[in-house]
């Protein structure tokens, strides 16, 4: 194998043949995912991000067995770090197999993988003095990088000529083996056209950005385009930015693949020189890793500012850089989308259309195609979400799409892994806006957002948050109405509601509660394999129980009476969780301790029934209490009445009152027609102060006593 080093195409063929000969079965799909990722130097997390498999499954289940199998096949220890070395040694020891595999491919690009001769590099560097290096990482860089890209880089010309003759350790277009891509043909046509432009000399399409949610198909689209157009370039470099490399580290890594060992201070200058003198295609995945998290989309941290000038300098070279990510640098996204700069291109993947998604589900061997349209709509055509759902339907629901669709939630662990990276990057204003939109069932205009959002956001802050959410593929804009309205994609909304509800959860354990958690408490009656369980709140008391006040300060110690439930109990049991989330939006603050309790009224008297519309003859409500400790012995309290489980509005004329220890009424609010909640004004009290909350409907009254 001295005449031709191994590329990925060879590798998979050789390994599959060797494994089949050794075991009688071919490589499985998750094993191929690991081998492809290992060849490209990806971590297991990165491999999982663009596949339907979890990191834990690939790393802890598939990988150990795969490396053990290959160690047996190759008769030497094989692991993630030495896979390529072991494979080349295997190919060298099996020349007949290697020759057969090479012959089956026909002509191939020669010498891909051979290192650039260090002697040639040394002579090239000695032929001319080194240029002034580009500004280091963490500096603005000024115009030095840009000028470097525009200048003539003759000092590497001899090395470039020898490199073209001998090849370097770059990928070739034939080594890119994309999987089956469903849909996105229009997007693929655009990217192919841009690569054709980049391979010419007119200076167009030097920077290409592909954006979209995790698992939307960015990598597959780029792999397909590179496999079809990559042969127009002199080689392909593929890197992941997941580990947040500095510009210097990235430059050194790419130069190393060319066999070049250079001082770090000159690495970026030398990389730009090569990009200017040679037509390379550089793919950088996961660009969001070098951008700020927790702030608006597209901003660089101080440590990675050098990338700004570097990307601009690429425009003046002969090479092309493709960036992929769940968000992109602000300047590049705007230039590529609307700036009219033909050197920069930008494309966002928003999901498959119904036809393409149907073909994907056909390949997943699902049954009941008449129900696929609903499944596709639930997951908004997201390719990996649909593949993950199909796997769950096959393995958990025995292939029954209808049984899966009967579940109230579209979420499971695979979907959490797709959306959590995007949500983890959101700024506080974006989270506030996205949770507020999630609490509505209809799109909202900008004016409606400004009017209803219970936060103080200046117009510029609100518009910036909306723009950032759209860049991150988390927001849709309905532009065919006047004024335009904003709403969340179905899958994003489901995840946002889940995260929103999670902020009201307050798990507690029997070790720090007074009576345990009634949501999980029950006791068995009878014996045998199928015992009957009766909830504790159905136990009949033979003697009346003296009412005792609720000690609110105990809540901060995790001590709750058994009939006071965490708020997620209320939200998750609701037919309209978004409505309830909107009513409790301002209580998301983690410093508030929150609990709720079901208050049931007896059957209303006939006279009251005649006086109240049938739509509002409800017999219960939920009392919600939130407490915040303002100072060591001063507490602030919020009290609401929410509709009973299964209801969307309160009983009309339900009254909520605040009384002091002397039974004086301090505040009263009364539910009007169609009210989804009512709330007392906030009130404060010192430790040990007592108050009462009264709920009344008609001639019925329920009183709860509290001590702060």
């Amino acid at each position: 194998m001295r005449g031709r080093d191994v590329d990925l195409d060879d590798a998979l063929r050789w390994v599959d043949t060797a494994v089949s000969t050794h075991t009688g079965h071919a490589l499985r799909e998750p094993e191929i995912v690991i081998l492809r990722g290992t060849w490209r130097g990806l971590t297991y997390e990165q491999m999982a991000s663009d596949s339907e498999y979890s990191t834990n499954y690939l790393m802890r289940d598939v990988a150990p067995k795969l490396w053990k199998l290959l160690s047996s096949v190759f008769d030497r220890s094989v692991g993630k770090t030495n896979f390529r070395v072991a494979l080349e040694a295997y190919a060298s020891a099996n020349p007949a197999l290697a020759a057969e595999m090479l012959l089956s491919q026909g002509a191939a690009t020669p010498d891909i993988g051979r290192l650039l001769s260090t002697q040639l590099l040394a002579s090239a560097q000695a032929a001319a003095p080194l240029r002034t290096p580009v500004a280091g990482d963490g500096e603005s860089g000024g115009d030095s990088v840009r000028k470097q890209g525009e200048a003539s880089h003759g000092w590497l010309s001899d090395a470039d000529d020898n490199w073209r003759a001998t090849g370097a350790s770059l990928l070739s277009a034939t080594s890119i083996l994309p999987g089956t891509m469903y849909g996105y043909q229009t997007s693929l046509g655009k990217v192919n056209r841009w690569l054709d432009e980049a391979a010419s000399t007119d200076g167009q399409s030097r920077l290409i950005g592909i954006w979209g949610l995790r698992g939307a198909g960015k990598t597959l689209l780029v792999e397909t385009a590179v496999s079809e157009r990559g042969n127009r370039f002199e080689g392909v470099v593929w890197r992941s930015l997941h580990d947040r490399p500095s510009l210097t580290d990235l430059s050194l890594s790419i130069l190393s693949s060319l066999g070049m060992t250079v001082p770090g201070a000159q690495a970026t200058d030398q990389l730009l020189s090569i990009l200017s003198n040679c037509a390379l295609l550089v793919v950088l995945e996961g660009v969001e890793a070098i951008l700020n998290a927790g702030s608006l989309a597209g901003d660089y941290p101080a440590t990675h500012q050098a990338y700004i000038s570097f990307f601009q300098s690429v425009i003046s070279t002969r090479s092309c850089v493709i960036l992929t990510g769940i968000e992109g640098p602000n300047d590049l996204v705007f230039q590529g989308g609307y700036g009219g700069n033909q050197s920069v291109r930008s494309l966002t993947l928003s999901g498959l259309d119904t036809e393409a998604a149907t073909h994907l589900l056909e390949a997943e061997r699902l049954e009941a195609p008449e129900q696929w349209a609903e499944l596709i709509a639930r997951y908004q055509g997201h390719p990996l979400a649909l593949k993950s759902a199909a796997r769950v339907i096959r393995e958990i629901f025995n292939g029954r799409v209808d049984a899966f669709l009967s579940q109230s939630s579209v979420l499971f662990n695979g979907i959490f892994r797709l959306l959590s990276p995007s949500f983890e990057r959101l700024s506080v204003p974006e989270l506030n806006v996205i949770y507020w939109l999630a609490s509505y069932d209809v799109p909202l205009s900008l004016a409606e957002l400004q009017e209803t959002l219970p936060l103080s956001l200046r117009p510029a802050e609100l518009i910036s948050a909306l723009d950032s959410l759209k860049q991150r593929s988390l927001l849709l804009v309905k532009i065919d109405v006047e004024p335009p309205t904003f709403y969340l994609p179905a899958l994003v909304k489901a995840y946002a509601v889940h995260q929103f509800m999670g902020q009201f959860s307050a798990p507690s354990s029997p070790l720090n509660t007074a009576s345990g958690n009634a949501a999980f408490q029950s006791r068995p009656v009878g014996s045998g394999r199928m015992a009957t369980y009766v909830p504790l709140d159905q136990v009949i008391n033979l003697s009346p129980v003296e009412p005792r006040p609720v000690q609110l300060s105990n809540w901060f110690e995790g001590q709750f009476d058994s009939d006071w439930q965490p708020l997620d109990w209320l939200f998750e049991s609701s037919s309209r969780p978004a409505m309830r989330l909107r009513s409790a939006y301002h209580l998301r603050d983690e410093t508030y301790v929150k609990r709720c309790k079901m208050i049931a009224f007896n059957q209303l008297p006939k006279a009251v029934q005649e006086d109240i519309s049938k739509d509002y003859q409800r017999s219960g409500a939920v009392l919600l209490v939130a407490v915040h400790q303002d100072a060591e012995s001063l507490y602030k309290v919020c009290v609401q009445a929410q509709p009973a489980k299964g209801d969307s509005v309160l009983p009309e004329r339900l009254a909520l009152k605040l009384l002091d220890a002397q039974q004086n009424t301090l505040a009263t609010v009364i539910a009007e027609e169609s009210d989804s909640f009512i709330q007392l004004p906030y009130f404060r009290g010192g430790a040990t102060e007592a108050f009462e909350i009264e709920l009344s409907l008609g001639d019925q009254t329920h009183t709860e006593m509290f001590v702060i």
Side-chain angles (χ1 to χ4, degrees), residues 214-398:
R214 185 177 186 180
K218 302 181 294 295
T219 296
L220 181 56
L221 174 66
V222 173
E223 287 178 341
T224 304
V226 172
S227 70
E228 295 179 1
R229 292 295 192 273
N231 58 0
R232 300 202 59 187
F233 297 85
E234 296 184 58
V236 179
V237 176
W238 204 298
R239 290 292 185 276
S240 170
L241 301 180
H242 179 267
D243 294 329
R244 306 181 74 244
S246 66
L247 179 57
T248 295
D249 287 343
L250 176 67
S251 301
L252 288 170
S253 172
I254 295 176
L255 292 173
S256 176
S257 68
L258 306 178
M260 300 174 66
T261 303
V262 299
Q266 292 132 21
T268 301
D269 273 358
Q270 295 193 12
L271 175 60
L272 281 170
S273 178
I274 290 178
L275 295 180
S276 296
N277 285 277
C278 309
L280 297 182
L281 180 57
V282 181
V283 181
L284 303 178
E285 291 190 289
V287 71
E288 72 275 1
I290 62 170
L291 302 175
N292 266 329
S295 63
L296 297 179
D299 293 333
Y300 294 90
T303 54
H304 289 71
Q305 293 286 315
Y307 277 96
I308 300 175
S309 296
F310 174 74
F311 288 139
Q312 291 300 323
S313 297
V314 169
I315 294 173
S316 302
T317 70
R318 293 179 53 198
S319 298
C320 175
V321 173
I322 300 178
L323 305 175
T324 73
I326 57 179
E327 67 180 78
N330 247 333
D331 54 336
L332 301 184
V333 172
F334 293 147
Q335 286 183 54
Y338 308 100
N341 186 343
Q342 293 184 329
S343 295
V344 181
R345 307 291 189 177
S346 193
L347 175 67
T348 299
L349 301 184
S350 56
L352 305 178
D353 59 27
T354 301
E355 180 181 1
T358 299
H359 292 320
L360 184 151
L361 293 177
E362 287 174 346
E364 293 295 320
R365 304 185 306 281
L366 282 189
E367 300 178 0
E370 67 278 3
Q371 298 168 336
W372 290 358
E374 182 179 350
L375 184 65
I376 293 168
R378 283 200 182 190
Y379 292 100
Q380 63 197 64
H382 188 289
L384 194 51
L386 285 172
K387 293 186 72 172
S388 298
R391 179 182 57 79
V392 169
I393 291 171
R394 289 194 306 268
E395 298 178 2
I396 305 300
F397 293 87
N398 196 29

Side-chain angles (χ1 to χ4, degrees), residues 603-619 649-654 671-674 697:
Q603 180 66 35
L604 297 178
K606 185 175 182 180
V608 177
Q609 292 185 26
E610 293 173 351
D611 195 37
I612 297 179
S613 167
K614 289 183 179 180
D615 291 337
Y616 303 103
Q617 291 180 14
R618 292 176 171 82
S619 58
V649 295
L650 287 165
E652 188 179 352
R653 300 184 186 176
L654 175 75
E672 299 179 355
E673 182 177 350
S674 301
L697 184 63

Side-chain angles (χ1 to χ4, degrees), residues 314-564:
V314 169
I315 294 173
S316 302
T317 70
R318 293 179 53 198
S319 298
C320 175
V321 173
I322 300 178
L323 305 175
T324 73
I326 57 179
E327 67 180 78
N330 247 333
D331 54 336
L332 301 184
V333 172
F334 293 147
Q335 286 183 54
Y338 308 100
N341 186 343
Q342 293 184 329
S343 295
V344 181
R345 307 291 189 177
S346 193
L347 175 67
T348 299
L349 301 184
S350 56
L352 305 178
D353 59 27
T354 301
E355 180 181 1
T358 299
H359 292 320
L360 184 151
L361 293 177
E362 287 174 346
E364 293 295 320
R365 304 185 306 281
L366 282 189
E367 300 178 0
E370 67 278 3
Q371 298 168 336
W372 290 358
E374 182 179 350
L375 184 65
I376 293 168
R378 283 200 182 190
Y379 292 100
Q380 63 197 64
H382 188 289
L384 194 51
L386 285 172
K387 293 186 72 172
S388 298
R391 179 182 57 79
V392 169
I393 291 171
R394 289 194 306 268
E395 298 178 2
I396 305 300
F397 293 87
N398 196 29
R400 291 188 54 193
V401 180
D402 59 334
F404 177 78
L405 292 175
S406 68
Q407 306 301 306
S408 60
S409 175
V410 300
L411 303 175
F412 51 89
N413 188 53
I415 305 303
F416 293 145
R417 291 194 300 109
L418 294 180
L419 295 176
S420 61
S422 294
F423 271 70
E424 289 168 358
R425 300 187 60 80
L426 295 182
S427 63
V428 172
E430 289 175 290
L431 284 170
N432 288 329
V433 171
I434 205 169
Y435 288 144
W436 189 244
L437 287 171
S439 72
Y440 275 86
D441 294 324
V442 295
L444 297 178
S445 67
L446 180 61
E448 289 170 331
L449 270 171
Q450 291 172 324
E451 180 181 351
T452 61
L453 190 64
L455 293 165
S456 179
L457 281 181
R458 294 190 299 272
E461 292 176 315
L462 178 56
I463 293 172
S464 297
L466 291 170
D467 179 52
S468 183
L469 288 171
K470 189 173 186 303
Q471 284 190 53
R472 287 169 161 153
S473 303
L474 298 175
L475 180 73
L476 296 176
V477 184
K478 192 175 180 63
I479 59 176
D480 58 350
V481 297
E482 185 58 41
T485 54
F486 304 91
Y487 63 102
L488 304 180
L491 190 59
V492 173
K493 180 176 181 178
Y495 185 86
V497 169
H498 176 272
Q499 293 298 99
F500 198 169
M501 290 192 299
Q503 296 185 31
F504 299 105
S505 301
S508 55
S509 68
L511 295 177
N512 61 3
T513 59
S515 305
N517 191 331
F520 301 98
Q521 274 196 340
S522 58
R523 64 179 186 182
V525 176
S527 59
R529 295 176 58 193
M530 297 296 291
T532 301
Y533 285 79
V534 178
L536 290 184
D537 59 6
Q538 294 183 16
V539 174
I540 299 173
N541 291 313
L542 299 179
S543 58
V545 177
E546 288 292 329
R548 60 187 181 87
V550 176
Q551 188 79 39
L552 290 181
S553 59
N554 287 343
W555 286 13
F556 290 90
E557 305 297 327
Q559 299 178 17
F560 307 100
D561 292 338
S562 61
D563 48 0
W564 286 91

Side-chain angles (χ1 to χ4, degrees), residues 163-185:
W163 171 30
R164 291 187 181 94
T166 62
S169 64
L170 304 175
L171 296 172
S172 67
T174 58
S175 73
I176 306 297
L177 301 178
T180 303
M181 188 176 73
Y182 299 94
Y184 289 149
Q185 293 305 312

Side-chain angles (χ1 to χ4, degrees), residues 435-441 493 497 500-501 504 570-571 574-585 640-650 674-678:
Y435 288 144
W436 189 244
L437 287 171
S439 72
Y440 275 86
D441 294 324
K493 180 176 181 178
V497 169
F500 198 169
M501 290 192 299
F504 299 105
L570 174 62
F571 296 146
S574 172
S575 59
R576 294 183 61 192
M579 173 274 297
R580 294 194 188 274
L581 290 172
R582 187 161 63 249
S583 68
Y585 181 86
Q640 290 184 355
Q642 292 253 358
K645 294 167 63 174
D647 293 338
S648 58
V649 295
L650 287 165
S674 301
D675 272 347
S676 59
F677 78 102
I678 53 177

